[in-house]
């Protein structure tokens, strides 16, 4: 299974010329379009420069606010929960391509026992 993944949408939320939040979308593709095993799915996330835990007040810094042009593709991919998305995509491919659900078949010859 040849899986490719790429960022297809990157939307910066800018304030005072610096990015405060990113909306990121990554597309996963299994094999090539037209193949019997082709499958695609798009995942998205929004990442704030920092998050504050609502109960503990602990601040997590996700990225340093900077001009949008200072972020590389690698920087943006690093903000995505790729390992989680990998797991979800593999599960989707398994349930749709590798082990698709089978439909039940009616048994018209069955009669109620007496």
């Amino acid at each position: 299974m040849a899986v490719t993944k790429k960022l297809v949408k990157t939307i910066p939320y800018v304030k005072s010329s610096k990015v405060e939040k990113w909306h990121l979308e990554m597309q996963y593709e299994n094999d090539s379009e037209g193949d019997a095993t082709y499958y695609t799915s798009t995942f998205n996330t929004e990442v704030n420069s920092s998050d504050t835990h609502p109960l503990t007040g602990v601040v997590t810094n996700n990225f340093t606010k900077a001009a949008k042009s200072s972020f590389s593709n690698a920087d943006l991919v690093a903000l995505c929960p790729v390992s989680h998305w990998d797991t979800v995509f593999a599960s989707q491919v398994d349930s749709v391509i590798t082990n698709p659900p089978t439909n039940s078949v009616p048994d018209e010859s069955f009669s109620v026992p007496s």
Side-chain angles (χ1 to χ4, degrees):
M1 151 168 94
V3 175
T4 58
K5 43 193 163 185
K6 64 181 175 182
L7 284 173
V8 292
K9 188 181 284 188
T10 57
I11 302 172
Y13 290 73
V14 180
K15 181 178 178 183
S16 301
S17 302
K18 295 188 178 187
V19 178
E20 292 195 330
K21 177 171 72 171
W22 282 100
H23 173 85
L24 304 167
E25 291 186 13
M26 184 175 283
Q27 182 181 31
Y28 279 61
E29 287 184 310
N30 180 64
D31 294 330
S32 299
E33 197 166 354
D35 290 349
T37 55
Y38 178 74
Y39 186 78
T40 184
S41 191
T42 302
F43 300 95
N44 66 73
T45 189
E46 288 197 352
V47 182
N48 294 308
S49 62
S50 63
D51 291 311
T52 304
H53 190 282
L55 299 176
T56 64
V58 173
V59 176
T60 302
N61 291 315
N62 299 312
F63 63 87
T64 302
K65 295 177 185 178
K68 60 187 174 189
S69 62
S70 67
F71 289 86
S72 68
N73 187 70
D75 294 332
L76 298 175
V77 168
L79 295 175
C80 297
V82 174
S83 61
H84 174 68
W85 291 347
D86 288 350
T87 301
V88 172
F89 185 72
S91 176
Q92 290 174 339
V93 169
D94 183 60
S95 65
V96 174
I97 301 295
T98 311
N99 297 302
T102 57
N103 295 326
S104 59
V105 178
D107 181 356
E108 300 290 340
S109 66
F110 179 79
S111 60
V112 178
S114 32

